[in-house]
Amino acid sequence: SRRTRTFCTWPLTNSYCVFWKKETTMVIATELCAMSEYRIWPGTGKLFVRRDGKPIFLGSSKAQSLTLQRKKPAKLVWTQAWRRLHKKGLSETTLKKRRTRSNKVQRAVVGLSLDDIKKKAAQKPDFRSAQREAALKEVKDRKKANKAKSTGKVTGQSVRAPKVPKNVKRR
């Protein structure tokens, strides 16, 4: 309840008097519509009693019609159920939740320990490029050696008979 000040003047004099009066707010019993979840004010809406005896308050003929058609309120865009489901009308304070940032943790990889990984990260780029070139050179040398070996084998394979397709009839 609030207190308000009212001014009045005495009928015969020019002096003012002040009265403090208490304002009371009227409480009106409202129901919630089973379909839309809007308030139903006194004198409006319908009370529908289901077969099992459960009373259902419906705010409008639209809500009544959709309830009797067994429509789901969450699928109707204008209902509170749909708005709640799709996170509409939430205040910004409840919407933004503080998330704790996940801290990055370095872990060892198979074949490398954590110390080895840290050492590699601390290496200079020149040293890394030199290592890469040396590794590439080693791979090329290995390929040359394999090629030299395989050329010797090709001459030995020429002794075999040529392959004949299986679907051709032989005489």
Side-chain angles (χ1 to χ4, degrees):
S1 65
R2 288 188 313 228
R3 291 181 71 171
T4 56
R5 203 179 351 180
T6 49
F7 293 96
C8 67
T9 56
W10 293 105
L12 300 173
T13 62
N14 284 339
S15 59
Y16 287 97
C17 64
V18 177
F19 293 109
W20 288 95
K21 75 174 188 182
K22 219 177 189 184
E23 273 189 21
T24 56
T25 53
M26 190 172 147
V27 178
I28 299 172
T30 57
E31 298 290 339
L32 286 180
C33 177
M35 173 63 73
S36 63
E37 296 178 35
Y38 290 151
R39 277 188 173 164
I40 304 172
W41 300 97
T44 60
K46 290 184 180 179
L47 175 61
F48 176 71
V49 182
R50 285 199 319 208
R51 278 189 209 159
D52 61 355
K54 186 181 177 190
I56 295 176
F57 293 96
L58 299 166
S60 62
S61 57
K62 176 182 179 180
Q64 181 187 8
S65 172
L66 291 166
T67 304
L68 292 176
Q69 292 174 50
R70 297 177 188 271
K71 299 289 182 194
K72 292 181 180 174
K75 290 191 175 184
L76 301 169
V77 179
W78 56 276
T79 61
Q80 291 299 315
W82 186 91
R83 292 181 65 79
R84 197 179 314 111
L85 189 68
H86 292 86
K87 297 182 174 71
K88 305 290 178 191
L90 295 174
S91 62
E92 292 176 17
T93 55
T94 57
L95 191 63
K96 290 182 181 178
K97 288 186 178 177
R98 290 271 178 192
R99 286 194 308 184
T100 55
R101 290 211 170 201
S102 58
N103 297 330
K104 288 187 179 179
V105 178
Q106 282 191 328
R107 292 189 180 152
V109 184
V110 178
L112 281 176
S113 67
L114 190 60
D115 297 330
D116 294 341
I117 292 171
K118 284 183 179 175
K119 283 178 188 172
K120 281 202 172 188
Q123 288 174 353
K124 295 227 160 73
D126 302 332
F127 181 72
R128 273 199 225 149
S129 60
Q131 272 189 329
R132 192 181 308 114
E133 287 171 11
L136 285 170
K137 192 175 182 184
E138 188 182 323
V139 169
K140 284 180 183 175
D141 291 341
R142 216 180 305 139
K143 279 187 179 177
K144 278 184 185 178
N146 285 342
K147 206 173 194 182
K149 285 181 184 178
S150 63
T151 53
K153 288 182 182 177
V154 171
T155 54
Q157 286 179 354
S158 61
V159 178
R160 276 189 178 179
K163 282 192 172 183
V164 180
K166 290 181 180 178
N167 60 356
V168 176
K169 290 184 179 178
R170 295 182 191 153
R171 291 184 193 196

mmCIF file of all heavy atoms in Angstrom, residues 6-10 13-19:
data_model
loop_
_atom_site.group_PDB
_atom_site.id
_atom_site.type_symbol
_atom_site.label_atom_id
_atom_site.label_comp_id
_atom_site.label_asym_id
_atom_site.label_seq_id
_atom_site.Cartn_x
_atom_site.Cartn_y
_atom_site.Cartn_z
ATOM 1 N N THR A 6 -2.891 14.552 0.046
ATOM 2 C CA THR A 6 -3.939 15.305 -0.634
ATOM 3 C C THR A 6 -4.038 16.693 -0.001
ATOM 4 O O THR A 6 -3.926 16.843 1.217
ATOM 5 C CB THR A 6 -5.310 14.598 -0.526
ATOM 6 O OG1 THR A 6 -5.528 14.239 0.823
ATOM 7 C CG2 THR A 6 -5.365 13.389 -1.403
ATOM 8 N N PHE A 7 -4.213 17.692 -0.842
ATOM 9 C CA PHE A 7 -4.315 19.075 -0.378
ATOM 10 C C PHE A 7 -5.762 19.522 -0.445
ATOM 11 O O PHE A 7 -6.494 19.140 -1.354
ATOM 12 C CB PHE A 7 -3.475 20.012 -1.248
ATOM 13 C CG PHE A 7 -2.006 19.767 -1.126
ATOM 14 C CD1 PHE A 7 -1.342 18.969 -2.044
ATOM 15 C CD2 PHE A 7 -1.292 20.322 -0.076
ATOM 16 C CE1 PHE A 7 0.010 18.745 -1.926
ATOM 17 C CE2 PHE A 7 0.071 20.102 0.040
ATOM 18 C CZ PHE A 7 0.720 19.315 -0.890
ATOM 19 N N CYS A 8 -6.134 20.317 0.480
ATOM 20 C CA CYS A 8 -7.470 20.900 0.424
ATOM 21 C C CYS A 8 -7.397 22.321 1.001
ATOM 22 O O CYS A 8 -6.458 22.666 1.700
ATOM 23 C CB CYS A 8 -8.480 20.057 1.206
ATOM 24 S SG CYS A 8 -8.172 20.050 2.972
ATOM 25 N N THR A 9 -8.345 23.131 0.682
ATOM 26 C CA THR A 9 -8.412 24.487 1.257
ATOM 27 C C THR A 9 -9.652 24.583 2.122
ATOM 28 O O THR A 9 -10.694 24.001 1.811
ATOM 29 C CB THR A 9 -8.490 25.555 0.149
ATOM 30 O OG1 THR A 9 -9.602 25.272 -0.684
ATOM 31 C CG2 THR A 9 -7.216 25.598 -0.663
ATOM 32 N N TRP A 10 -9.512 25.343 3.230
ATOM 33 C CA TRP A 10 -10.685 25.570 4.064
ATOM 34 C C TRP A 10 -11.615 26.493 3.307
ATOM 35 O O TRP A 10 -11.180 27.415 2.626
ATOM 36 C CB TRP A 10 -10.280 26.181 5.408
ATOM 37 C CG TRP A 10 -9.484 25.220 6.249
ATOM 38 C CD1 TRP A 10 -8.170 25.243 6.473
ATOM 39 C CD2 TRP A 10 -9.992 24.089 6.946
ATOM 40 N NE1 TRP A 10 -7.780 24.213 7.266
ATOM 41 C CE2 TRP A 10 -8.903 23.464 7.577
ATOM 42 C CE3 TRP A 10 -11.265 23.511 7.105
ATOM 43 C CZ2 TRP A 10 -9.016 22.331 8.353
ATOM 44 C CZ3 TRP A 10 -11.364 22.379 7.879
ATOM 45 C CH2 TRP A 10 -10.269 21.804 8.488
ATOM 46 N N THR A 13 -11.160 30.364 4.713
ATOM 47 C CA THR A 13 -9.823 30.951 4.844
ATOM 48 C C THR A 13 -8.946 30.505 3.686
ATOM 49 O O THR A 13 -9.292 29.579 2.942
ATOM 50 C CB THR A 13 -9.158 30.503 6.159
ATOM 51 O OG1 THR A 13 -9.023 29.091 6.123
ATOM 52 C CG2 THR A 13 -9.965 30.940 7.362
ATOM 53 N N ASN A 14 -7.834 31.172 3.519
ATOM 54 C CA ASN A 14 -6.904 30.800 2.448
ATOM 55 C C ASN A 14 -5.834 29.827 2.912
ATOM 56 O O ASN A 14 -4.853 29.630 2.241
ATOM 57 C CB ASN A 14 -6.213 32.059 1.901
ATOM 58 C CG ASN A 14 -7.148 32.840 1.014
ATOM 59 O OD1 ASN A 14 -8.112 32.281 0.512
ATOM 60 N ND2 ASN A 14 -6.872 34.116 0.836
ATOM 61 N N SER A 15 -5.967 29.237 4.062
ATOM 62 C CA SER A 15 -4.953 28.309 4.571
ATOM 63 C C SER A 15 -5.191 26.910 3.997
ATOM 64 O O SER A 15 -6.311 26.528 3.668
ATOM 65 C CB SER A 15 -4.985 28.280 6.095
ATOM 66 O OG SER A 15 -6.260 27.888 6.538
ATOM 67 N N TYR A 16 -4.103 26.196 3.897
ATOM 68 C CA TYR A 16 -4.151 24.834 3.356
ATOM 69 C C TYR A 16 -4.118 23.811 4.475
ATOM 70 O O TYR A 16 -3.535 24.042 5.512
ATOM 71 C CB TYR A 16 -2.942 24.570 2.444
ATOM 72 C CG TYR A 16 -3.026 25.288 1.125
ATOM 73 C CD1 TYR A 16 -2.376 26.498 0.935
ATOM 74 C CD2 TYR A 16 -3.740 24.740 0.077
ATOM 75 C CE1 TYR A 16 -2.429 27.152 -0.276
ATOM 76 C CE2 TYR A 16 -3.816 25.390 -1.135
ATOM 77 C CZ TYR A 16 -3.160 26.591 -1.312
ATOM 78 O OH TYR A 16 -3.225 27.229 -2.514
ATOM 79 N N CYS A 17 -4.700 22.680 4.231
ATOM 80 C CA CYS A 17 -4.574 21.564 5.164
ATOM 81 C C CYS A 17 -4.087 20.357 4.389
ATOM 82 O O CYS A 17 -4.351 20.213 3.209
ATOM 83 C CB CYS A 17 -5.907 21.275 5.849
ATOM 84 S SG CYS A 17 -7.168 20.723 4.704
ATOM 85 N N VAL A 18 -3.342 19.520 5.060
ATOM 86 C CA VAL A 18 -2.771 18.334 4.403
ATOM 87 C C VAL A 18 -3.318 17.100 5.095
ATOM 88 O O VAL A 18 -3.265 16.976 6.309
ATOM 89 C CB VAL A 18 -1.232 18.358 4.504
ATOM 90 C CG1 VAL A 18 -0.655 17.105 3.891
ATOM 91 C CG2 VAL A 18 -0.678 19.599 3.831
ATOM 92 N N PHE A 19 -3.854 16.178 4.301
ATOM 93 C CA PHE A 19 -4.328 14.902 4.827
ATOM 94 C C PHE A 19 -3.476 13.788 4.241
ATOM 95 O O PHE A 19 -3.151 13.800 3.057
ATOM 96 C CB PHE A 19 -5.794 14.646 4.415
ATOM 97 C CG PHE A 19 -6.765 15.580 5.031
ATOM 98 C CD1 PHE A 19 -7.406 16.550 4.268
ATOM 99 C CD2 PHE A 19 -7.065 15.495 6.382
ATOM 100 C CE1 PHE A 19 -8.315 17.399 4.834
ATOM 101 C CE2 PHE A 19 -7.982 16.347 6.954
ATOM 102 C CZ PHE A 19 -8.599 17.307 6.175
#
